[in-house]
């Protein structure tokens, strides 16, 4: 299994075959994780830097575990203790890291385009986008596809309802691209204030009433209300949002008994999702978290091996 890419910036230029290569390799890694807990040595010569300029728990930890489970040297770079606090630019920082022999940089940033910028500046190292502003979060999408692929076998013809704050969500944008490449149909439901002005480039169906949207959905993908990015009164209150667009027991009663619920985390209980849903047998949120390690192992392996030609 190979991919032709040196970087993973978003999924627009990744084919369905590329995605399937990641899924199949992740399955092999997951088998080993489930049956052996011993570290592999396939990336023992690699050096990986997790460069997170924005807080993260799931993504950063799973990248760290993924690298270490394959024997790589993993460095968690800290903004507060680096030369950037003395005024060093991001470009000079990553050039310094590359000069030290770093093979891959996993970057998260509030600024759209940071990962693409680094990919242009670096001569040898691979860049993996772990989330840039509201633009893209491709590794979250790959682990979401992987979670559904294991459970459903295929996404072809499945209907995915993406519910919530589409406007500020990099997960929504990447998932729409990735899910459609795998053959799914996408419905979005949200207050109009939490939607992009023009939905047509996304190629999705809009249903303002989540009670109607959920009736045909095989998957309900709930998005976090991003309070840190909502600068103005885009919703009347969190309570009203929960009553109208929250994923609660009343919403699930309108869905098929086979419909599953997903969320990229972290969750706001009682806002976009109620505890009786997030903790129910319909929820596969923790399966998503588990998938993150093996998917990121597969990504790191494929990208670093692709550089060897």
């Amino acid at each position: 299994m190979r991919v032709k890419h040196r970087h993973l910036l978003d999924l627009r230029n990744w084919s369905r075959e590329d995605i399937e290569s990641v899924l199949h390799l992740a399955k092999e890694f997951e088998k080993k994780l489930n049956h052996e807990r011993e570290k592999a040595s396939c990336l023992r010569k690699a050096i990986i830097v997790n460069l997170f300029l924005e807080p993260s728990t799931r993504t950063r930890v799973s990248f760290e575990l993924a690298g270490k489970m394959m024997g790589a040297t993993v460095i968690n770079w800290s903004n507060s203790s680096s030369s950037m606090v003395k005024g060093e630019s991001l470009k000079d920082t990553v050039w310094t890291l590359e000069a030290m022999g770093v093979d891959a940089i996993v970057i998260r940033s509030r600024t759209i385009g940071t990962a693409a910028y680094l990919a242009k500046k670096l001569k040898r190292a691979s860049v993996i986008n772990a989330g840039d502003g509201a633009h893209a979060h491709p590794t979250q999408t790959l682990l979401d596809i992987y979670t559904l692929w294991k459970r459903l076998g295929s996404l072809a013809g499945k209907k995915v309802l993406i519910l919530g704050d589409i406007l500020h969500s990099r997960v929504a944008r990447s998932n729409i691209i990735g899910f459609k490449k795998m053959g799914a149909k996408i419905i979005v439901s949200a207050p109009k204030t939490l939607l992009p002005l023009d939905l047509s480039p996304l190629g999705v169906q809009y249903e303002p009433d989540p009670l109607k949207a959920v009736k045909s959905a095989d998957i309900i993908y709930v998005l976090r209300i991003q309070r840190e990015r909502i600068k103005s009164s885009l919703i009347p209150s969190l309570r009203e949002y929960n009553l109208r667009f929250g994923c609660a027991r009343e919403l699930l009663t309108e869905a098929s008994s086979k419909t599953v619920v997903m969320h990229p985390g972290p969750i706001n209980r009682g806002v976009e999702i109620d505890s009786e849903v997030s903790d129910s047998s319909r929820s596969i949120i923790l399966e998503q978290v588990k998938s993150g390690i093996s998917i990121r192992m597969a990504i790191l392996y494929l990208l670093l091996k692709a550089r060897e030609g």
Side-chain angles (χ1 to χ4, degrees):
M1 285 170 273
R2 302 185 73 87
V3 295
K4 61 181 180 297
H5 306 280
R6 179 178 142 201
H7 309 293
L8 175 56
L9 307 179
D10 63 39
L11 291 176
R12 291 188 185 280
N13 62 340
W14 278 55
S15 68
R16 178 171 179 157
E17 290 70 28
D18 291 331
I19 293 172
E20 288 175 342
S21 291
V22 176
L23 303 183
H24 287 289
L25 185 56
K27 188 176 181 180
E28 295 302 313
F29 280 129
E30 186 170 317
K31 284 180 186 175
K32 292 182 179 179
L33 287 174
N34 288 339
H35 296 295
E36 302 169 12
R37 290 295 302 268
E38 297 179 2
K39 292 181 181 177
S41 58
C42 50
L43 291 184
R44 67 184 184 282
K45 296 181 180 178
I47 303 173
I48 301 163
V49 171
N50 289 329
L51 204 165
F52 278 61
L53 307 177
E54 190 180 45
S56 168
T57 301
R58 291 158 186 76
T59 306
R60 188 191 62 75
V61 172
S62 65
F63 265 114
E64 182 177 357
L65 285 171
K68 288 181 175 177
M69 291 306 293
M70 293 186 291
T73 299
V74 180
I75 298 167
N76 291 313
W77 184 89
S78 171
N79 188 15
S80 61
S81 60
S82 78
S83 291
M84 288 183 75
V85 297
K86 301 176 183 175
E88 184 176 69
S89 69
L90 180 60
K91 179 182 73 175
D92 287 329
T93 296
V94 296
W95 276 357
T96 299
L97 294 172
E98 189 174 51
M100 292 179 179
V102 165
D103 298 290
I105 294 178
V106 181
I107 173 75
R108 167 169 287 192
S109 171
R110 290 186 173 87
T111 305
I112 291 174
T114 303
Y117 170 78
L118 296 188
K120 289 180 182 176
K121 296 299 178 185
L122 293 172
K123 297 178 176 63
R124 190 183 62 86
S126 294
V127 177
I128 300 171
N129 185 2
D132 62 329
H135 171 236
H137 195 349
T139 66
Q140 176 69 45
T141 297
L142 290 170
L143 74 86
D144 289 336
I145 292 173
Y146 180 60
T147 305
L148 292 169
W149 182 67
K150 287 188 294 180
R151 178 171 278 257
L152 306 176
S154 170
L155 273 175
K158 301 297 183 186
K159 288 190 176 179
V160 183
L161 166 61
I162 299 180
L163 177 65
D165 185 2
I166 312 288
L167 180 64
H168 301 96
S169 178
R170 55 194 172 212
V171 173
R173 283 166 178 76
S174 284
N175 278 11
I176 289 168
I177 294 168
F179 288 175
K180 286 171 65 178
K181 282 181 186 282
M182 303 307 288
K185 297 178 180 178
I186 312 295
I187 308 167
V188 298
S189 187
K192 286 193 174 179
T193 52
L194 295 181
L195 291 173
L197 289 176
D198 184 7
L199 276 176
S200 56
L202 299 178
V204 299
Q205 176 188 343
Y206 173 56
E207 171 51 64
D209 185 350
L211 291 172
K212 292 181 180 176
V214 79
K215 290 181 183 297
S216 61
D218 300 290
I219 299 112
I220 305 171
Y221 199 101
V222 185
L223 296 173
R224 182 172 69 89
I225 284 288
Q226 301 193 33
R227 284 180 277 191
E228 74 278 17
R229 288 192 170 91
I230 297 178
K231 303 298 183 185
S232 57
S233 300
L234 296 178
I235 53 176
S237 69
L238 295 178
R239 178 59 181 157
E240 285 192 52
Y241 178 86
N242 175 256
L243 291 173
R244 182 77 172 86
F245 289 95
C247 189
R249 179 170 52 83
E250 292 77 11
L251 185 70
L252 286 189
T253 59
E254 301 295 322
S256 162
S257 60
K258 296 181 179 178
T259 301
V260 295
V261 178
M262 305 178 78
H263 190 299
I267 63 174
N268 293 309
R269 293 176 183 266
V271 180
E272 73 267 3
I273 191 167
D274 287 359
S275 289
E276 62 181 335
V277 174
S278 64
D279 302 344
S280 74
S281 60
R282 309 279 287 274
S283 166
I284 57 172
I285 295 170
L286 292 180
E287 290 180 40
Q288 294 173 260
V289 175
K290 183 179 179 183
S291 296
I293 300 172
S294 46
I295 275 290
R296 285 162 178 139
M297 289 175 74
I299 292 165
L300 287 168
Y301 182 87
L302 288 170
L303 292 184
L304 294 181
K305 290 299 178 183
R307 298 185 321 161
E308 297 175 359

